[in-house]
């Protein structure tokens, strides 16, 4: 695994949408390192969906079925693109020397989320309002955004901080770009943050009128294929809206294919400075920041009561994961209220690794920092600045480059470099022991990342290789129970039930989060049941059943109910780890 990113490119485009697409493609040909994104997108959704299956079932037949389904969905959505955006994409691909058929891959995330929605319609996945003990594939990406302004902001400027958490490690994080678009056929200049090869305005974006925008995944059973994809939806809003209300009005004019929650901010608003626009196929709902508030947080659960009806529990840990990140971000902002939140505070927030339900730092889990954080940015049109991480995933740790928001340059590109101050700040002032501890934690992250990538790609290794990486990660993580849990699940997948049960016992002993403790207890009870230790299994089932009720932990009680006191070895042998959520796939 390479240990550094490719230099950040700041790109200027000017002209019609088609002309800007051509310029983008020509620049990609010049600066290089754009090809990996075109290898990644065609298989990304497929890998996410296949990852929920038992490892032995991830074969050519299942790959072929999933791949065909994704391609049909993407082609259907691609047929409804606006001509000017399609021309832009095709011009970029042609200029970069990439086949035009890759255009439909622009809809890969819409297709993935819609696949989850279809599982909800078929009742393979439960709705959050109807927690049913059914099969639960582990499918959840995660993102966290925070906006601050007024007295919450140290310098009173509005800032929008965002982690783009996406299964694009080694692709999105290593090749950052900032693109400034100066359209000659519309009146608003705008920009976006992405990676080389990805001309995707609207996912993490800003414009000269003061609007910022970032999209987050939601899961709902109402999805479609004849509306707008997220890339074009976001592009339309950021290139044509001068205010939050204009963006809301625009959003309500169209049907959106998939399930999203976009946070928008604008420092020039007289009323609410931030809002979250939420969608499913056919509905657009808006939640505004409280006028008395001076901050807003967005993760991955619906705010709108209307859209909460039909919201899907895409994994047992989904609810806890998204709400914990929301809770932790809110907690950090409350702690900073009296002195005001700085840009550095926001960067630190994006790198925060504390699970609020335990108060402890985790390598991975229900934390703001995710190993899959592949783009971290702080945007402020009011301060006319962007702060973009140029570090490897998880990108929240930086270092950050300060980029002026300027559209006055001719089409072309530059490679800004880190200042000595930025490098020093990324290292920080630490004592020797603290510096050693930081290095050990970074090593733990790297080993975890390697294990996750091996899990996604069997060409990189197998179960033993994943176990080796997790054991190395554990050495630098102060006995992180999240790592113990995943190691336990891997041993169970191998059929080494005694080793697996021992590691799960250790997880239960060390775990201080009630949610995660019950998760480990459930899998330990199932393992004991499978190997015939029925009295121990029954005791653990009873502990979960009699635990205090809570929304997050209700899912484990429903699992206990569905198990009916036993779990077979056949089922245990089909388990596999979920590295994105620190969970276990049980299909």
């Amino acid at each position: 695994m390479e240990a550094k990113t490719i230099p950040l490119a700041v790109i200027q485009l000017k002209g019609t949408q088609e002309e800007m697409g051509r310029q983008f493609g020509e620049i990609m040909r010049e600066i290089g390192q754009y090809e990996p994104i075109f290898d990644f997108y065609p298989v990304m959704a497929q890998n996410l969906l296949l990852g929920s299956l038992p490892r032995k079932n991830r074969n050519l037949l299942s790959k072929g079925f999933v791949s065909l389904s994704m391609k049909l969905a993407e082609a259907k959505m691609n047929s409804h693109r606006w001509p000017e955006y399609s021309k832009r994409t095709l011009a970029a691909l042609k200029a970069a020397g990439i086949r035009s058929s890759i255009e439909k891959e622009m809809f890969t995330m819409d297709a993935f989320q819609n696949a989850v929605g279809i599982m909800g319609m078929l009742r393979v996945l439960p709705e959050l309002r109807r927690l049913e003990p059914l099969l639960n594939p582990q499918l959840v990406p995660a993102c966290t955004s925070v906006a601050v302004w007024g007295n919450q902001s140290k310098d009173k400027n509005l800032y929008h901080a965002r982690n783009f958490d996406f299964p694009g490690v080694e692709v999105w994080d290593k090749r950052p770009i900032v693109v400034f678009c100066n359209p000659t056929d519309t009146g608003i200049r705008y920009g976006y943050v992405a990676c080389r090869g990805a001309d995707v305005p609207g996912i993490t974006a800003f414009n000269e009128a003061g609007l910022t925008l970032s999209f987050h995944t939601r899961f709902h059973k109402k999805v479609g294929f004849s509306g707008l994809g997220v890339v074009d939806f976001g592009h339309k809003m950021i290139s044509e809206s001068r205010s939050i209300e204009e963006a809301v009005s625009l959003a309500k004019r169209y049907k959106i294919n998939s399930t999203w929650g976009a946070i928008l901010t604008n420092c020039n608003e007289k009323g609410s400075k931030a809002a979250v626009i939420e969608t499913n196929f056919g509905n657009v709902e808006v939640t505004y920041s409280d006028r008395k508030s001076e901050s807003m947080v967005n993760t991955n659960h619906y705010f709108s009561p209307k859209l909460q009806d039909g919201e899907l529990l895409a994994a047992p840990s989904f609810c806890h994961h998204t709400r914990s990140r929301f809770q932790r971000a809110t907690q950090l902002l409350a702690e900073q209220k009296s002195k005001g939140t700085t840009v550095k505070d926001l960067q630190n927030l994006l790198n925060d690794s504390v699970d609020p339900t335990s108060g402890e730092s985790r390598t991975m889990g229900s934390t703001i920092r995710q190993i899959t954080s592949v783009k971290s940015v702080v945007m402020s049109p009011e301060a006319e600045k962007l702060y973009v991480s140029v570090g490897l995933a998880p990108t929240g740790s930086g270092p950050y480059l300060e980029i002026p928001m300027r559209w006055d340059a001719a089409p072309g590109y530059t490679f800004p470099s880190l200042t000595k101050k930025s490098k020093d700040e990324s290292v920080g002032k630490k004592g020797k022991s603290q510096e050693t501890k930081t290095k050990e934690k970074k090593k733990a992250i790297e080993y975890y990342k390697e294990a996750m990538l091996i899990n996604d790609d069997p060409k990189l290794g197998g179960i033993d290789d994943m176990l080796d990486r997790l054991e190395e990660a554990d050495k630098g993580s102060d006995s992180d129970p999240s790592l113990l849990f995943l190691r336990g699940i891997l041993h169970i997948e191998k059929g080494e039930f005694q080793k697996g049960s021992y590691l799960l016992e250790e997880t239960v002993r060390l775990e201080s989060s009630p949610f995660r403790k019950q998760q480990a207890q459930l899998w330990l009870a199932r393992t004991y049941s499978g190997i015939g230790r029925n009295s121990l299994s029954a005791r653990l089932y009873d502990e979960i059943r009699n635990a205090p009720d809570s929304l997050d932990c209700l899912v484990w009680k429903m699992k206990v109910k569905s198990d009916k006191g036993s779990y077979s070895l056949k089922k245990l042998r089909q388990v596999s780890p979920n590295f994105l959520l620190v969970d276990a796939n049980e299909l």
Side-chain angles (χ1 to χ4, degrees):
M1 193 178 291
E2 296 178 34
K4 61 180 181 180
T5 57
I6 308 302
L8 179 142
V10 176
I11 297 168
Q12 296 280 348
L13 308 176
K14 184 175 183 178
T16 64
Q17 292 297 336
E18 187 173 9
E19 288 167 342
M20 288 192 288
R22 176 180 52 78
Q23 292 163 12
F24 183 87
E26 290 171 346
I27 289 170
M28 289 302 106
R29 283 290 285 265
E30 284 190 41
I31 66 176
Q33 284 289 331
Y34 62 93
E35 299 92 345
I37 194 70
F38 299 112
D39 295 326
F40 165 73
Y41 268 112
V43 297
M44 187 273 290
Q46 170 188 299
N47 288 346
L48 278 171
L49 291 166
L50 288 172
S52 66
L53 296 176
R55 207 174 300 275
K56 66 179 181 180
N57 292 347
R58 301 173 200 175
N59 51 34
L60 288 175
L61 182 62
S62 59
K63 284 181 181 178
F65 175 77
V66 171
S67 177
L68 178 62
S69 301
M70 291 296 101
K71 289 184 186 307
L72 289 172
E74 290 165 358
K76 174 69 172 175
M77 289 186 275
N78 190 56
S79 69
H80 293 277
R81 289 197 80 186
W82 281 310
E84 65 268 30
Y85 291 162
S86 182
K87 287 178 181 178
R88 174 172 175 152
T89 301
L90 292 172
L93 293 172
K94 183 178 180 180
I98 302 296
R99 67 186 191 280
S100 62
S101 60
I102 205 80
E103 179 192 10
K104 65 181 180 297
E105 308 297 347
M106 299 276 284
F107 298 90
T108 188
M109 275 306 295
D110 300 274
F112 162 65
Q113 289 176 198
N114 282 13
V116 178
I118 289 169
M119 288 186 217
M121 284 189 279
L122 296 174
R123 298 179 69 81
V124 175
L125 291 174
E127 296 176 39
L128 274 173
R129 286 191 171 182
R130 301 178 180 87
L131 280 175
E132 297 173 352
L134 301 174
L135 299 177
N136 292 291
Q138 316 292 296
L139 302 168
V140 184
C143 293
T144 303
S145 288
V146 167
V148 298
W149 60 89
N151 290 325
Q152 180 70 58
S153 170
K154 179 74 170 178
D155 63 9
K156 308 301 188 240
N157 287 329
L158 188 152
Y159 293 94
H160 177 165
R162 187 268 214 281
N163 267 348
F164 181 46
D165 301 336
F166 184 69
V169 174
E170 292 282 282
V171 178
W172 263 82
D173 56 328
K174 293 181 74 170
R175 301 164 178 84
I177 59 172
V178 176
V179 182
F180 292 89
C181 302
N182 188 351
T184 54
D185 49 357
T186 60
I188 303 177
R189 298 181 295 185
Y190 59 96
Y192 65 94
V193 182
C195 77
R196 294 193 190 195
D199 184 28
V200 287
I203 303 301
T204 304
F206 53 91
N207 70 24
E208 64 177 339
L211 200 70
T212 66
L213 167 68
S214 63
F215 272 86
H216 291 222
T217 291
R218 299 286 196 269
F219 289 108
H220 199 280
K221 68 179 183 179
K222 190 175 181 183
V223 297
F225 298 90
S226 59
L228 293 182
V230 65
V231 172
D232 289 351
F233 177 36
H235 194 172
K236 191 80 168 173
M237 282 200 291
I238 205 65
S239 65
E240 296 187 12
S241 304
R242 295 185 177 276
S243 67
I244 292 174
E245 282 311 311
E246 285 185 15
V248 169
S249 176
L250 186 150
K252 289 187 173 181
R253 294 204 299 268
Y254 302 103
K255 273 195 169 184
I256 314 305
N257 283 327
S258 198
T259 52
W260 298 99
I263 181 170
L264 300 93
T265 74
N266 195 323
C267 60
N268 299 316
E269 301 286 337
K270 292 182 179 178
S272 298
K273 303 286 187 186
V276 173
I277 295 177
E278 297 179 307
T279 72
N280 63 16
F281 186 62
N283 293 289
V284 174
E285 295 291 315
V286 186
T287 300
Y288 293 93
S289 61
D290 190 320
R291 293 200 178 196
K292 296 178 182 178
S293 174
E294 294 173 313
S295 65
M296 194 170 196
V297 176
N298 186 34
T299 53
N300 297 101
H301 55 281
Y302 279 108
F303 296 162
S304 161
K306 181 177 180 179
L307 294 181
Q308 285 170 0
D309 187 10
E311 182 176 10
L312 297 175
L313 182 71
S317 47
F318 167 73
C319 186
H320 181 262
H321 203 277
T322 178
R323 293 176 191 275
S324 291
R325 286 181 284 112
F326 186 94
Q327 179 186 343
R328 178 59 178 165
T330 304
Q331 181 185 81
L332 288 169
L333 292 179
E335 291 171 1
Q336 296 159 5
K337 180 70 174 175
S338 60
K339 65 180 181 66
T341 301
T342 66
V343 170
K344 187 63 179 173
D345 288 333
L346 291 169
Q347 293 170 357
N348 289 338
L349 182 149
L350 296 178
N351 193 45
D352 187 83
S353 60
V354 172
D355 179 339
T357 61
S358 72
E360 296 175 353
S361 178
R362 299 295 168 92
T363 305
M364 186 68 165
S366 303
T367 60
I368 294 172
R369 186 196 71 195
Q370 295 288 295
I371 302 293
T372 53
S373 295
V374 294
K375 201 65 63 195
S376 298
V377 58
V378 181
M379 303 179 282
S380 180
E382 188 171 13
E384 299 182 339
K385 292 176 182 177
L386 290 168
Y387 300 86
V388 182
S389 172
V390 293
L392 292 169
T395 50
S397 61
Y400 285 80
L401 260 174
E402 182 182 312
I403 308 294
M405 279 190 185
R406 291 180 187 155
W407 288 266
D408 52 5
Y413 60 90
T414 59
F415 297 113
S417 57
L418 280 171
T419 63
K420 186 176 184 301
K421 181 182 177 184
S422 295
K423 291 178 181 176
D424 291 343
E425 284 180 351
S426 70
V427 174
K429 295 179 180 178
K430 304 180 179 108
K432 226 172 186 180
S433 61
Q434 182 62 34
E435 191 174 329
T436 301
K437 198 169 185 180
T438 300
K439 285 180 179 178
E440 288 175 351
K441 287 186 176 180
K442 283 185 177 179
K443 282 184 181 178
I445 290 169
E446 288 304 309
Y447 283 122
Y448 189 101
K449 196 192 304 184
E450 289 182 16
M452 179 181 71
L453 292 173
I454 293 169
N455 186 59
D456 293 341
D457 185 355
K459 294 175 186 175
L460 298 177
I463 294 176
D464 287 335
D465 299 291
M466 287 182 263
L467 282 167
D468 288 344
R469 301 307 193 281
L470 289 179
E471 285 167 15
E472 289 297 324
D474 204 21
K475 291 176 184 177
S477 65
D478 300 326
S479 297
D480 184 342
S482 299
L483 299 177
L484 294 173
F485 176 81
L486 289 174
R487 286 170 59 196
I489 295 300
L490 280 166
H491 279 293
I492 290 169
E493 183 181 4
K494 281 188 71 179
E496 297 173 347
F497 303 116
Q498 295 295 341
K499 287 183 179 179
S501 61
Y502 169 75
L503 287 163
L504 290 176
E505 286 166 2
E506 286 297 287
T507 305
V508 171
R509 183 177 68 82
L510 293 171
E511 187 59 77
S512 55
S513 162
F515 177 85
R516 294 292 180 180
K517 182 183 281 288
Q518 287 186 35
Q519 176 192 44
Q521 285 175 323
L522 175 74
W523 281 102
L524 183 56
R526 287 173 163 181
T527 306
Y528 281 157
S529 175
I531 61 178
R533 301 179 71 178
N534 295 325
S535 60
L536 289 173
S537 175
R539 180 170 58 79
L540 286 164
Y541 275 133
D542 283 342
E543 282 188 34
I544 299 168
R545 191 181 292 112
N546 298 325
D549 290 332
S550 72
L551 176 62
D552 289 346
C553 293
L554 180 60
V555 66
W556 305 132
K557 293 195 175 193
M558 301 306 287
K559 294 283 186 184
V560 168
K561 184 178 179 182
S562 68
D563 284 359
K564 298 178 181 178
S566 67
Y567 205 77
S568 69
L569 277 178
K570 181 181 178 181
K571 288 182 179 178
L572 278 177
R573 289 191 176 101
Q574 295 186 75
V575 72
S576 62
N578 183 279
F579 284 86
L580 295 180
L581 294 168
V582 186
D583 211 332
N585 302 319
E586 56 180 295
L587 277 181

